[in-house]
Amino acid sequence: QVRLTESGGGSVQAGGSLTLSCQASEYSGDRCVGWVRQAPGKEREVVAADYGPGGSTYIADSVLRRFIQRSADNVYYLQMMTLKPEDTAVYYCAARAKFQVCSKVAKDYSTWGQGTQVTVSS
């Protein structure tokens, strides 16, 4: 089973930028890998997901034009720009089972990293 390890969280002021990284333990071009966040007291929200070249992709309306997901050599990046206090959350890298299309439903993802905290101050 693929293992996912996130890094890159931290604290930033509103309007700033952060890039999160997720290292997959094996080739993951045959599955959807995405980023899911959970703010205190809220449900998990899928913010971005990508299956790879020619595959399905998803970006949440709440982060559209501010967050970009990229990948290279089994590392998945979430580039976050123009951050807002409401972006404060624990961010998880998550993957679906092989050959499953991307989903905006967090429970559809079966493999999770340990999470990394992002805090945006006003």
Side-chain angles (χ1 to χ4, degrees), residues 21-62:
S21 301
C22 171
Q23 174 71 59
S25 62
E26 62 187 47
Y27 173 73
S28 297
D30 51 2
R31 67 177 77 227
C32 179
V33 179
W35 291 89
V36 182
R37 68 184 181 185
Q38 187 166 26
K42 295 188 176 181
E43 294 187 354
R44 291 186 175 187
E45 176 192 17
V46 180
V47 295
D50 192 285
Y51 193 98
S56 57
T57 62
Y58 172 77
I59 188 79
D61 289 343
S62 58

Side-chain angles (χ1 to χ4, degrees), residues 30 54 71 80 91:
D30 51 2
S71 63
M80 305 183 293
Y91 283 73

Side-chain angles (χ1 to χ4, degrees), residues 34-121:
W35 291 89
V36 182
R37 68 184 181 185
Q38 187 166 26
K42 295 188 176 181
E43 294 187 354
R44 291 186 175 187
E45 176 192 17
V46 180
V47 295
D50 192 285
Y51 193 98
S56 57
T57 62
Y58 172 77
I59 188 79
D61 289 343
S62 58
V63 303
L64 188 62
R65 290 184 291 275
R66 298 190 300 118
F67 289 14
I68 298 172
Q69 178 171 333
R70 299 179 290 110
S71 63
D73 298 329
N74 293 338
V75 181
Y76 297 82
Y77 303 94
L78 184 66
Q79 183 178 359
M80 305 183 293
M81 300 166 286
T82 318
L83 283 161
K84 304 175 181 180
E86 52 263 44
D87 294 319
T88 295
V90 177
Y91 283 73
Y92 299 89
C93 182
R96 294 206 68 187
K98 282 187 178 181
F99 313 123
Q100 296 294 313
V101 299
C102 290
S103 170
K104 62 180 181 180
V105 179
K107 66 179 182 179
D108 287 343
Y109 293 77
S110 55
T111 302
W112 294 77
Q114 79 283 3
T116 185
Q117 177 71 45
V118 172
T119 302
V120 184
S121 58

